[in-house]
Amino acid sequence: MIYGYVRVSTKDQNEDRQIIALKEMGVPEGNIYMDKLSGKDFERPQYKKLLRKLNEDSVLFIKSIDRLGRNYRDLSEQWRIITKEKGADVVVIDMPILDTRREKGLLGTFISDLILALLSYVAESEYQTIHQRQAEGIAAAKAKGIRMGRPPRPLPDNFYEVYQKWKADKISTAEAARLVDMPVSSFRYRASVYKNAALSQETK
């Protein structure tokens, strides 16, 4: 029995390319399991369901090794479970050397395990590098004063008047927030930003 596994990180990503590749390898559509979840771990419902189906008569096809997972240690452990405990074969379409059907001897197993260790390490390293670059890019943008995310809503027309009354303790924070139609936490934040901006202008 042959099976296929497809994974995309989000619901917005398209899985068609992976499914087409699996069907070209002869995997029936009913035997293709798909998760739309991150590859950081193996807490995925469809993968777990697939794993229960595998046995020594099974062949599992995946498009590329990072579709199975990205975490180096977890990926190696799942490979061991599939090939050793379940006794199933694995075929990585984009990497023909990772085809456990080719050589069942000790040398073949050693080569497959070695290549897997290398590729899974590279996959995790690339994933971490991408996230590090994203974090560095965000930090650099913030350092330049570039705001991330959605721009703040403009202040209501009565904000200055309400702020002055609140600052003079003529009204409570809850009353001020109600008058400008904001949550209390938002009013406190916008009042703090407004105060700092005003002080900045005074010192110029």
Side-chain angles (χ1 to χ4, degrees):
M1 183 68 73
I2 61 175
Y3 298 93
Y5 181 68
V6 171
R7 184 187 66 79
V8 290
S9 298
T10 68
K11 293 181 179 180
D12 296 330
Q13 289 182 329
N14 194 307
E15 66 277 4
D16 291 349
R17 185 173 60 89
Q18 295 180 61
I19 292 177
I20 290 171
L22 294 177
K23 287 183 176 180
E24 288 177 348
M25 301 301 293
V27 182
E29 187 170 356
N31 286 1
I32 296 176
Y33 293 76
M34 179 176 65
D35 284 307
K36 294 192 175 186
L37 291 167
S38 166
K40 65 179 181 179
D41 57 42
F42 285 85
E43 293 302 314
R44 310 175 215 144
Q46 289 302 307
Y47 175 76
K48 289 183 175 181
K49 187 175 180 180
L50 166 65
L51 199 60
R52 291 194 291 268
K53 296 276 187 179
L54 299 179
N55 56 40
E56 61 274 8
D57 297 320
S58 305
V59 180
L60 172 62
F61 287 86
I62 55 175
K63 180 73 167 65
S64 58
I65 195 64
D66 64 344
R67 296 304 88 200
L68 187 60
R70 289 187 180 276
N71 182 289
Y72 168 57
R73 292 179 181 175
D74 289 350
L75 182 54
S76 298
E77 174 63 11
Q78 292 301 313
W79 183 276
R80 185 193 65 79
I81 291 172
I82 294 170
T83 59
K84 306 296 193 300
E85 292 187 11
K86 297 289 185 176
D89 282 309
V90 182
V91 179
V92 180
I93 299 172
D94 285 353
M95 185 61 61
I97 196 170
L98 283 179
D99 182 346
T100 61
R101 302 171 304 174
R102 295 176 55 181
E103 177 58 61
K104 291 293 186 181
L106 183 62
L107 179 60
T109 300
F110 173 76
I111 291 174
S112 290
D113 290 350
L114 183 63
I115 297 297
L116 170 73
L118 176 61
L119 291 177
S120 55
Y121 173 77
V122 169
E124 183 177 8
S125 296
E126 288 179 346
Y127 180 73
Q128 292 176 347
T129 298
I130 289 170
H131 277 257
Q132 181 180 349
R133 287 174 179 170
Q134 288 175 340
E136 290 173 350
I138 291 172
K142 287 183 176 178
K144 293 179 180 178
I146 300 173
R147 292 186 59 88
M148 308 304 292
R150 293 180 298 177
R153 292 172 56 188
L155 291 173
D157 293 338
N158 65 337
F159 184 87
Y160 176 75
E161 177 186 353
V162 172
Y163 170 79
Q164 292 298 330
K165 289 181 179 180
W166 171 78
K167 184 180 177 183
D169 291 328
K170 293 181 179 179
I171 57 175
S172 67
T173 304
E175 177 66 8
R178 185 186 67 79
L179 290 172
V180 295
D181 192 25
M182 288 182 183
V184 170
S185 59
S186 296
F187 175 79
R188 288 185 184 277
Y189 172 74
R190 299 301 290 272
S192 174
V193 172
Y194 184 85
K195 177 183 177 182
N196 291 336
L199 289 174
S200 177
Q201 288 296 323
E202 290 175 3
T203 57
K204 286 185 177 180

